[in-house]
Amino acid sequence: MSKIMVLNGPNLNLLGSREPEQYGHETLADVEAMCAAEAQRYGHEVECRQSNHEGALIDAIHEAGQRIKAGEMLGVVFNPGAYTHTSVALHDAIKGAEVPVIEVHISNVHTREAFRHHSYISPVAAGIVVGMGIQGYVLGIQGLIHKTS
Ligand code: CA2
C-alpha cells in the first residue's frame, strides 16, 4: 500500500460555505472522504492536508518528495488555490523535489477572469484536471495512480 497526498491551498477550507455556484455545496471533509474511498479502491491510502500558507504548502511538497524517494508515497493531488496564479516558489518546490503532482481545479479557470488563466504549477505538473467540480479530485487520484504505477 502506498500513500497519496491530497493537498489543498488557500481558502479551500471554506468549501461548501460560500460561492456554491462556483465550487459546489460539498465541504472539504466531503472531498477528503471521496478521495479516501477512491484511493482505497486501488489499495492505497490518502493523507489530506490543507493550508492557507504558501510556506506550509512548500514544506508539504518537500515532505512528499522525501517520502516518494523512501518508496512510501506515489505523489500529490494538489489544488493550489489562488497560489496557482502567483507562486514561483511552489513551481520551484515541485520541480526541485521531483514530485509527481496532479494539479486540480474545481472550477474551469479558463472561463473565469484573465488572471486565472495562467498557472505556475502546470509546467511542472504530471497532469491537470480543470472544471470537473470536486469529481476532479477523484480523477486526479486515478491519473496519479495510472501515471506512477
Ligand atoms: O477552481 C479551483 O479549484 C481554484 O483553485 C479555487 C481557488 C481559485 O483562486 C483558483 O483560481 C481556482 C479559490 C478557492 C477558494 O475556495 C472557496 C470556496 C468556498 C468559498 C470561498 C472560497
Side-chain angles (χ1 to χ4, degrees):
M1 176 196 289
S2 285
K3 295 273 177 77
I4 294 170
M5 188 181 285
V6 176
L7 184 59
N8 277 286
N11 297 310
L12 286 154
N13 54 312
L14 300 176
L15 266 185
S17 68
R18 268 175 267 151
E19 300 189 53
E21 64 294 340
Q22 202 68 256
Y23 303 117
H25 289 281
E26 286 84 0
T27 65
L28 185 58
D30 295 332
V31 169
E32 292 175 347
M34 279 173 65
C35 290
E38 187 62 18
Q40 200 179 36
R41 286 183 57 210
Y42 296 91
H44 298 306
E45 207 176 278
V46 290
E47 233 178 81
C48 299
R49 311 265 180 96
Q50 187 275 332
S51 179
N52 296 319
H53 304 277
E54 193 173 16
L57 296 168
I58 292 166
D59 288 344
I61 295 287
H62 289 175
E63 182 189 322
Q66 285 166 358
R67 293 174 67 185
I68 290 160
K69 285 194 176 65
E72 58 175 86
M73 191 169 263
L74 291 182
V76 180
V77 173
F78 187 22
N79 185 344
Y83 287 140
T84 305
H85 319 298
T86 63
S87 183
V88 176
L90 277 168
H91 170 112
D92 288 348
I94 294 164
K95 193 173 176 181
E98 296 181 304
V99 174
V101 164
I102 307 295
E103 177 184 356
V104 172
H105 297 288
I106 298 168
S107 64
N108 182 353
V109 286
H110 299 289
T111 62
R112 301 181 64 189
E113 304 97 320
F115 67 81
R116 295 187 204 274
H117 296 179
H118 178 263
S119 169
Y120 282 99
I121 309 305
S122 296
V124 290
I128 307 162
V129 185
V130 170
M132 299 299 288
I134 63 164
Q135 187 67 18
Y137 289 89
V138 170
L139 298 171
I141 284 175
Q142 290 172 359
L144 181 67
I145 292 169
H146 185 74
K147 285 223 159 200
T148 56
S149 305

